[in-house]
Amino acid sequence: MTSITDDADHVVSNDSMEAGLTAGEGVYRADCGSIVVPPSLCEPPSHRCSCCRAVLRARGKRVLEIQARQCDSRSWLVRFLRRCG
């Protein structure tokens, strides 16, 4: 979501979007912590916020690490069950 305060596109989670809509103030909290004041919806996208991009990268790395651990644990379990069966 683009913010008119810094003219950058920010990542706003669904929870933050819902909180902003519920508050009825027209502002939202981005994942990087910035307060987003959106412009008219017909405004074209702007440059991406580098802090939001870093947050997304870190989140993606954590997800990949968790998935890798789950795959490792499943493969261990499969090997164990094959030996026992």
Side-chain angles (χ1 to χ4, degrees), residues 1 10-13 16 28-36 49 52:
M1 177 180 289
H10 292 275
V11 176
V12 178
S13 69
S16 293
Y28 309 91
R29 179 154 315 266
D31 285 5
C32 69
S34 296
I35 299 297
V36 175
C49 168
C52 283

Side-chain angles (χ1 to χ4, degrees), residues 2 9 16 21 32 39 51 54 57 66 79:
T2 301
D9 282 349
S16 293
L21 290 171
C32 69
C51 293
R57 278 194 197 116
I66 290 168
R79 287 192 310 266

Side-chain angles (χ1 to χ4, degrees), residues 29-72:
R29 179 154 315 266
D31 285 5
C32 69
S34 296
I35 299 297
V36 175
V37 181
S40 166
L41 294 177
C42 63
E43 290 288 322
S46 187
H47 67 281
R48 294 182 178 161
C49 168
S50 59
C51 293
C52 283
R53 196 175 320 155
V55 168
L56 286 176
R57 278 194 197 116
R59 189 179 299 149
K61 286 180 184 178
R62 283 194 300 269
V63 168
L64 289 175
E65 289 169 359
I66 290 168
Q67 289 173 343
R69 275 189 248 128
Q70 289 173 342
C71 288
D72 288 346

